[in-house]
Amino acid sequence: MEKLCDNLEECGLPSALEMVGDRWSFMILRATFNGLCHFEEFLNVLGIARNILANRLSRLVEDGIMQREQMADDRRKVEYRLTEKGVDLLPALLALRQWGEKYGLGVPSNPVLADRRDNLAIAPIRIHAADGREIGWHELQWRDKSELGKQG
Amino acid sequence: MEKLCDNLEECGLPSALEMVGDRWSFMILRATFNGLCHFEEFLNVLGIARNILANRLSRLVEDGIMQREQMADDRRKVEYRLTEKGVDLLPALLALRQWGEKYGLGVPSNPVLADRRDNLAIAPIRIHAADGREIGWHELQWRDKSELGKQG
DNA sequence: ATAACTAGATTGCAACTTGCAACTGGAAAT
DNA sequence: ATTTCCAGTTGCAAGTTGCAATCTAGTTAT
């Protein structure tokens, strides 16, 4: 494996980590993917401190990952919902969860995301080549964009 | 989307985040995937403080994500290498990086991982159904393991 | 041997972040 | 009018982070 890509300026990872790279953001997102959307719900389910939750939620909203909506019928209530940008974090979240399940947790995760169509659990998140083949680390190499072949 | 899976005991995400859920671990892993393996290299490339780097490396080693090998020829030198467990974090890392590239960073990431075989950049990390179909959030539902259909 | 060099790790201190609990303030319910 | 509820803020103690200087073990040079 060549020693390339030591260039932090041209990597999306730092910006991603700045937004969701702390202990709680992913847990909040997970809860949101499970349908939670109220402050007190997050509080009860996650066991996070109030101030930290408030801080993280407002950061997630600031970063456009969630949106904050005041309810019309009961204006005390606020709902936090995922934006498209937030929903797009699902693959990363699932990849992490599956990894944690494989290596960290003794027990299989439950419940699990299933395809509505066939009611089967989703496949593990994997790396795929441009043509869809599944592909592993040893079959990969770092390439400068300019050196890439052109898609057929 | 049903409100299930509020059960933190049966979810791999918390254990994953405990191991790699801080600002630096992923950056260290990224550097490792790029071929770096020495303390001073990480230090120079990442701009991390010495003590934090030492702390994170030893945690990654403790957690079995990296292994620490003393070099036989020059026994001052130590190399940090990914274990299989560490390599298995690549999908999660790439999913995050791709997300950061799409939403955070203005610029496309570079360099990029390419298939050795066809020299094309890898596909975006996505969610796939059991049969390999690509599948989105709205086509998914949380299911208890016991309620899943059986694989044909 | 001694001195200088290197990679890796440790220590001390200041700045920031976290967690807990008590409190505020507006909005419904009684 | 009072109580309860939801969301969020404030104050303070404890923990974590970042930086600089220092330490240690093994390596090369004299």
Side-chain angles (χ1 to χ4, degrees):
Chain A
M1 185 59 47
E2 296 84 325
K3 192 198 288 188
L4 287 172
C5 191
D6 305 342
N7 184 353
L8 292 168
E9 313 305 313
E10 297 183 59
C11 182
L13 194 59
S15 20
L17 291 175
E18 218 167 286
M19 293 195 257
V20 293
D22 75 273
R23 250 207 320 315
W24 286 114
S25 301
F26 265 106
M27 291 301 292
I28 294 172
L29 288 172
R30 187 195 80 116
T32 309
F33 276 113
N34 286 319
L36 302 204
C37 61
H38 295 293
F39 194 91
E40 305 285 327
E41 287 179 318
F42 292 123
L43 207 64
N44 294 331
V45 167
L46 297 178
I48 184 176
R50 296 186 88 79
N51 54 347
I52 304 298
L53 177 58
N55 176 274
R56 288 309 181 278
L57 283 173
S58 64
R59 268 180 39 190
L60 287 169
V61 170
E62 240 176 69
D63 290 341
I65 293 168
M66 288 184 148
Q67 36 191 147
R68 185 184 189 284
E69 277 175 76
Q70 213 145 31
M71 294 295 88
D73 56 329
D74 183 343
R75 292 229 313 269
R76 288 173 302 185
K77 289 191 185 170
V78 170
E79 285 191 3
Y80 291 92
R81 299 237 169 257
L82 290 165
T83 61
E84 196 198 325
K85 180 172 174 181
V87 170
D88 269 3
L89 273 168
L90 187 57
L93 191 151
L94 288 175
L96 263 179
R97 187 190 193 213
Q98 290 172 355
W99 183 87
E101 182 182 356
K102 180 169 177 188
Y103 288 109
L105 200 67
V107 182
S109 290
N110 191 45
V112 141
L113 275 179
D115 186 351
R116 282 188 194 284
R117 200 163 347 168
D118 58 16
N119 200 35
L120 290 173
I122 57 168
I125 304 284
R126 290 281 164 67
I127 301 166
H128 295 262
D131 59 13
R133 258 180 308 122
E134 206 173 298
I135 195 176
W137 166 236
H138 40 288
E139 298 165 84
L140 292 167
Q141 64 189 331
W142 292 104
R143 300 297 281 162
D144 191 274
K145 280 229 150 143
S146 63
E147 302 169 330
L148 290 174
K150 295 284 167 257
Q151 182 69 265
Chain B
M1 185 58 48
E2 295 86 325
K3 192 196 289 185
L4 286 172
C5 193
D6 305 341
N7 183 354
L8 292 167
E9 312 306 312
E10 296 184 59
C11 182
L13 194 60
S15 19
L17 292 175
E18 218 167 287
M19 292 195 259
V20 294
D22 74 274
R23 252 208 316 316
W24 286 114
S25 301
F26 265 106
M27 292 301 292
I28 295 172
L29 287 172
R30 187 196 80 117
T32 310
F33 276 113
N34 286 318
L36 303 204
C37 60
H38 295 292
F39 193 92
E40 305 286 326
E41 287 178 318
F42 292 122
L43 206 65
N44 296 331
V45 167
L46 298 178
I48 184 176
R50 295 185 89 80
N51 53 348
I52 304 299
L53 177 58
N55 175 275
R56 289 308 181 277
L57 283 174
S58 64
R59 266 180 39 188
L60 288 168
V61 170
E62 237 177 71
D63 290 341
I65 292 168
M66 290 184 146
Q67 44 193 140
R68 186 181 188 287
E69 276 176 76
Q70 214 146 34
M71 295 293 90
D73 55 329
D74 183 343
R75 293 232 309 269
R76 289 175 302 187
K77 290 190 185 168
V78 170
E79 285 190 2
Y80 291 92
R81 299 238 169 254
L82 290 165
T83 60
E84 196 197 324
K85 179 172 173 180
V87 170
D88 269 3
L89 273 168
L90 187 57
L93 191 151
L94 288 175
L96 263 179
R97 187 189 192 214
Q98 291 172 354
W99 182 87
E101 183 182 357
K102 179 169 178 188
Y103 289 108
L105 201 66
V107 182
S109 291
N110 191 46
V112 139
L113 275 179
D115 186 352
R116 283 187 193 284
R117 201 165 344 170
D118 57 16
N119 200 35
L120 290 173
I122 56 168
I125 304 284
R126 290 282 164 68
I127 301 166
H128 295 262
D131 59 13
R133 258 180 308 122
E134 206 174 298
I135 195 175
W137 167 235
H138 39 290
E139 300 164 84
L140 292 167
Q141 64 189 331
W142 292 104
R143 300 297 281 161
D144 191 275
K145 281 229 148 138
S146 62
E147 302 168 331
L148 290 174
K150 296 282 166 261
Q151 183 69 265

